[in-house]
Amino acid sequence: MVLMSSAKFSSTLLLQKSVPFTSQSSRTAFGSPFLFNRENGSLVVVCHAKKKISFMDQILDYIEGGPKLRKWYGAPDLLPKDGNATQDEEDDYPEDEVRDAVLVTDGDSEMGQMVILSLIVKKTRVKALVKDKRVALEAFGSYVESMAGDTRDNKFLKKALRGVRTIICPNEGFLSRVGSLKGVQHVILLSQLSVYSGKGGIQSMMKGNAKKLAEEDESVLMTSGIPYTIIRTGVLQNTPGGKQGFTFDKGCAASGSISKEDAAFVCVEALDCVPQTGFIFEVANGENKVSDWKECLATLMEKAGQQPQ
């Protein structure tokens, strides 16, 4: 049993070890193995042994707390049922606004959600391109500024890029269909090109379109003039992240595999190592444990003939 003071509760993630309660009764939060009980101004936390779940699942349990969670943390109400805000407050967005946000494309995809969750943990300002703004708001609450629209529409794209410093593309197909990315200072692309290029026969035919999109995205990025990081990963696997090490050897992307959670994590770590021009590296799960990602990526960058900004 663990006893924690409840004089003042944090308004951050559940992972910050404090949770506000308005009821005096005992309860279990979001399927957690912890039983919370508010008594005499103290919060009693009783831990019950239970099968451990992955880190991403723990964050998802938190995110999916729903309306009660939003009420606890003072998040804004949901959008009207038509999914539109009553007023577009960004029409007068200043051109010189500080660019401190990270835009995640394809934010409602599996990889997009994993990247978003990693960004939330880092307390990063997150914007996301999604298909359904209301569903995204129900899932992520106020932690993510979700935007739905046609990225081929220059007006919408300009609005989506406002305040954005870095774009993370967890899937292929975004860069090859959009126009100007004016103002963006760094683009991170998670690429499966090495995997697609190594396929033959029927698999090659099945992945033909994905390979084409990956090639087009990489080509557009390399000629964009924007500092970029292309992360060529091995086959993406539905395995828990944080359990294995990494390898960055040449050819590892074509022959190896990597946990989707680990791939998302690497994308987020690349935020802190911006190249002067462009930087491409391969990664798969391996034996090497990385304790300092900024140093690791800077070393890889130097080997590739690049220098960080």
Side-chain angles (χ1 to χ4, degrees), residues 119-137:
L119 289 169
I120 290 174
V121 171
K122 287 177 70 73
K123 300 180 180 179
T124 304
R125 180 186 168 203
V126 185
K127 299 181 73 173
L129 296 176
V130 298
K131 295 181 178 66
D132 192 320
K133 188 173 180 179
R134 180 180 175 82
V135 170
L137 186 55

Side-chain angles (χ1 to χ4, degrees), residues 195-226:
V195 175
Y196 302 145
S197 299
K199 300 292 183 182
I202 297 178
Q203 285 186 321
S204 177
M205 294 176 62
M206 293 174 61
K207 296 294 184 180
N209 186 57
K211 179 183 177 183
K212 181 181 179 180
L213 289 175
E215 290 174 336
E216 290 176 349
D217 276 3
E218 289 199 11
S219 177
V220 168
L221 195 52
M222 291 177 187
T223 58
S224 67
I226 303 172

Side-chain angles (χ1 to χ4, degrees), residues 62-65 70 134-141:
Y62 159 74
I63 289 293
E64 294 171 353
R70 282 188 287 277
R134 180 180 175 82
V135 170
L137 186 55
E138 289 176 337
F140 296 113

Side-chain angles (χ1 to χ4, degrees), residues 107-123:
D108 39 14
S109 68
E110 183 181 17
M111 282 305 304
Q113 290 179 31
M114 289 183 179
V115 170
I116 288 172
L117 295 176
S118 292
L119 289 169
I120 290 174
V121 171
K122 287 177 70 73
K123 300 180 180 179

